[in-house]
Amino acid sequence: MRALIVTGTPLLINPFLRFTIRLTAKHRTYSPRAAMASSPAAPVSDLHTIGEWYSVPDLRLRDHRFRVPLDYSARETTISVFAREVVGVGKEEHALPYLLFLQGGPGFESPRPAEASGWIKKACEGYRLILLDQRGTGLSTPLTVSSLSQFDTPKKTVEYLKNFRADNIVRDAEFIRECLDAWPWTVLGQSYGGFCAVTYLSFFPQGLKHVLLTGGLPPIGRGCTADSVYRACFEQVVSQNEKYYKRFPQDIEVVHELVKYLSESEGGGVPLPSGGILSPKGLQCLGLVGLGSGGGFERLHFMLERIWDPILVPGAKKKISYSFLKAFESWMEFDSNPLYAVLHESIYCQGASSKWSAHKVRSEPQYESLFDPFRAVKENRPVYFTGEMIFPWMFDEISALRPLKEVAHMLSEVEEWPPLYDINALNNNQVPVAAAVYYEDMYVNFKLAMETASKIAGIRLWVTNEYMHSGLRDSGSHVFDQLMSMLHGRKPQI
């Protein structure tokens, strides 16, 4: 809530009412107080429940659950959204400003702090931190393969999933802010959370005091920007592959041997522990985790050390170890977070369909031969791993995704995606924004990020190659302090 001082008397202004009048019905927000007025049978406790305080080392936490509309234009159906409040020990009753954290993804829940460390420790020095499980993740009506199986047709599943993008995530955030009686708050968005924060800036700037972005400046062009995103991503992925094999040249032959083994196996791959298949193109997906984050090169290399079972009995057949196959599945995380795969390309769509963009771009001549694992082995050159890309064949080879195959195909054809950004509003932005832009970011392309930055009025940029996309995780205290110092003029832009 905002307070205006009129002859010494605080006058509370409901930002929802002012914004509802100014916006069209398409972007109209949903006020919990309005819901209570229109639904007398719904007590406050149904909209917002608060748990008891509990502790982890040097932090105090309590849980909040909110009942929000599935579709803010309808309101017939509601879902539960979860957020965790975090403060330093002894600060439970302090009048601290709020900081909302928006997690990367799509489809991943907020961090679960086990102690005061990293950026969370730094943030809790001066803020009341809200860790939001974005709708469909964590404890916010989690959408898993099993829960989505409740729908009896793919079409119904698709219609439900359309409500789980950034536009509704930020509506949830405004809903929560009003329930907490919070003044405009600061938002920290990591990766996809940064995309959501830019959506927030576009449609609900009155709810924001400051915005901090870490590796999270989205492409904001009209239509579907996925093709341009993946072309730029493939270029950076090539560069990351070259760096990886320069660091670990011995892995060229290791990967060659594994590709040959997989291609000669029955069905073109080997069974995974969960029932899926590991094929050569599936193997290439290890780059999604291994090539783009701090320490990823090393973890990928050490994983490849354990591909083969030892030969214990003379004459026994060569076999891929269970530990390697299990590690492969653990890296992908599709079994616990299928939204990442199902909704991934839709995050780039406004009024246009993606039509399996990453697959289309990979099929273009300049990339088709470069990323062909069989051709790479034949020509005795490195087999390139792919990056943050979702391909249609994954819904055949990854067991957790098979039930969602038809759903994924239908989502790739959806054209009536609502807008996620308002370029005019961003051009006229008045909310202070500070952004960390990682020069070698494999997930959020540097050039595309800089194009977006040029359209956000007043943004302050920290361009660095000191960190990869995972800078907030790898050195959170430093990254958070750098951005806050830029906002408050204590450090220059770099």
Side-chain angles (χ1 to χ4, degrees):
M1 302 290 284
R2 289 182 177 177
L4 298 181
I5 304 301
V6 182
T7 63
T9 303
L11 174 64
L12 295 180
I13 304 297
N14 187 328
F16 279 81
L17 295 179
R18 182 172 69 251
F19 197 58
T20 301
I21 293 169
R22 185 162 61 88
L23 285 179
T24 63
K26 182 186 295 184
H27 297 131
R28 187 170 297 153
T29 190
Y30 177 81
S31 166
R33 290 187 175 88
M36 285 186 283
S38 61
S39 303
V44 176
S45 60
D46 284 351
L47 294 172
H48 179 201
T49 59
I50 308 174
E52 298 294 328
W53 287 104
Y54 56 98
S55 299
V56 299
D58 298 318
L59 295 174
R60 293 282 282 166
L61 306 88
R62 65 176 174 179
D63 300 340
H64 297 256
R65 287 176 169 80
F66 305 87
R67 179 60 54 180
V68 306
L70 171 66
D71 180 350
Y72 279 83
S73 66
R75 306 185 188 180
E76 288 88 356
T77 303
T78 62
I79 60 174
S80 175
V81 168
F82 174 87
R84 198 182 313 272
E85 181 180 358
V86 186
V87 297
V89 171
K91 295 183 177 181
E92 295 91 332
E93 303 303 323
H94 288 199
L96 298 169
Y98 281 96
L99 171 68
L100 171 70
F101 178 67
L102 296 174
Q103 169 70 22
F108 288 93
E109 61 273 17
S110 229
R112 269 50 183 168
E115 62 180 1
S117 62
W119 71 266
I120 290 179
K121 178 180 180 180
K122 193 72 176 178
C124 287
E125 291 176 3
Y127 286 96
R128 187 174 297 274
L129 176 61
I130 301 296
L131 298 174
L132 171 65
D133 281 354
Q134 297 163 20
R135 52 169 54 201
T137 75
L139 298 177
S140 294
T141 314
L143 300 185
T144 63
V145 174
S146 57
S147 66
L148 288 172
S149 68
Q150 296 171 33
F151 295 102
D152 55 12
T153 68
K155 183 178 180 180
K156 290 179 181 177
T157 309
V158 168
E159 291 305 312
Y160 194 81
L161 288 172
K162 286 180 182 179
N163 296 292
F164 287 79
R165 298 200 311 157
D167 49 351
N168 283 322
I169 290 170
V170 299
R171 289 187 177 100
D172 293 342
E174 274 294 86
F175 184 108
I176 291 168
R177 189 178 68 86
E178 190 184 40
C179 284
L180 296 174
D181 283 325
W183 288 47
W185 54 12
T186 297
V187 170
L188 169 61
Q190 158 64 17
S191 189
Y192 175 68
F195 288 28
C196 295
V198 176
T199 301
Y200 213 147
L201 274 175
S202 294
F203 300 127
F204 304 100
Q206 84 288 345
L208 299 169
K209 182 179 181 181
H210 302 119
V211 171
L212 309 175
L213 306 173
T214 56
L217 279 165
I220 58 176
R222 293 180 175 84
C224 183
T225 60
D227 287 2
S228 60
V229 166
Y230 290 119
R231 289 190 186 98
C233 282
F234 269 113
E235 291 178 11
Q236 187 61 41
V237 168
V238 170
S239 175
Q240 293 301 106
N241 273 284
E242 291 171 348
K243 293 174 188 175
Y244 176 80
Y245 284 115
K246 186 175 181 180
R247 178 92 60 87
F248 300 107
Q250 64 270 40
D251 287 351
I252 295 175
E253 183 55 37
V254 170
V255 177
H256 279 185
E257 185 179 13
L258 181 53
V259 167
K260 290 176 185 175
Y261 182 92
L262 294 172
S263 63
E264 293 169 359
S265 299
E266 184 179 355
V270 299
L272 289 164
S274 68
I277 298 170
L278 175 60
S279 68
K281 56 190 176 184
L283 173 70
Q284 290 176 287
C285 293
L286 287 175
L288 171 61
V289 178
L291 296 185
S293 58
F297 282 14
E298 292 78 13
R299 288 186 291 131
L300 177 56
H301 169 70
F302 294 133
M303 181 180 175
L304 293 174
E305 285 185 333
R306 301 190 63 188
I307 294 175
W308 306 108
D309 270 339
I311 299 299
L312 305 179
V313 177
K317 291 183 178 180
K318 191 173 189 177
K319 189 176 180 182
I320 298 176
S321 70
Y322 176 85
S323 61
F324 176 79
L325 296 175
K326 186 66 176 177
F328 172 84
E329 290 194 313
S330 298
W331 270 39
M332 296 296 103
E333 295 188 294
F334 292 127
D335 56 340
S336 58
N337 299 85
L339 279 187
Y340 179 83
V342 174
L343 288 179
H344 198 272
E345 292 196 351
S346 77
I347 70 175
Y348 301 113
C349 296
Q350 302 182 89
S353 59
S354 71
K355 299 185 183 298
W356 292 113
S357 176
H359 183 68
K360 284 187 300 180
V361 173
R362 181 175 175 167
S363 299
E364 292 175 356
Q366 66 270 36
Y367 301 119
E368 186 174 23
S369 60
L370 198 58
F371 284 87
D372 184 333
F374 309 109
R375 188 167 178 175
V377 171
K378 183 178 180 180
E379 296 175 356
N380 197 33
R381 55 179 173 82
V383 173
Y384 281 177
F385 298 100
T386 52
E388 189 175 40
M389 301 145 190
I390 301 298
F391 302 104
W393 51 262
M394 289 178 167
F395 292 83
D396 291 312
E397 295 190 1
I398 299 173
S399 60
L401 297 181
R402 285 172 181 163
L404 299 172
K405 177 179 179 179
E406 189 173 353
V407 169
H409 283 290
M410 293 173 69
L411 284 168
S412 76
E413 298 294 329
V414 171
E415 295 185 348
E416 65 275 13
W417 294 111
L420 296 173
Y421 312 106
D422 184 329
I423 295 177
N424 184 61
L426 296 174
N427 289 164
N428 293 284
N429 171 60
Q430 295 182 13
V431 178
V433 181
V437 182
Y438 304 122
Y439 187 75
E440 296 178 322
D441 199 323
M442 189 187 76
Y443 302 93
V444 179
N445 181 261
F446 173 75
K447 293 179 182 178
L448 296 181
M450 294 300 286
E451 287 178 13
T452 296
S454 70
K455 296 178 173 64
I456 302 176
I459 190 171
R460 299 184 178 190
L461 298 178
W462 173 36
V463 177
T464 179
N465 65 355
E466 185 178 357
Y467 304 109
M468 299 181 75
H469 187 72
S470 56
L472 189 65
R473 182 191 69 197
D474 300 335
S475 189
S477 180
H478 176 238
V479 171
F480 184 83
D481 184 62
Q482 173 72 35
L483 295 179
M484 291 301 300
S485 296
M486 288 168 57
L487 276 182
H488 298 297
R490 296 193 298 270
K491 290 186 180 180
Q493 300 180 58
I494 300 175

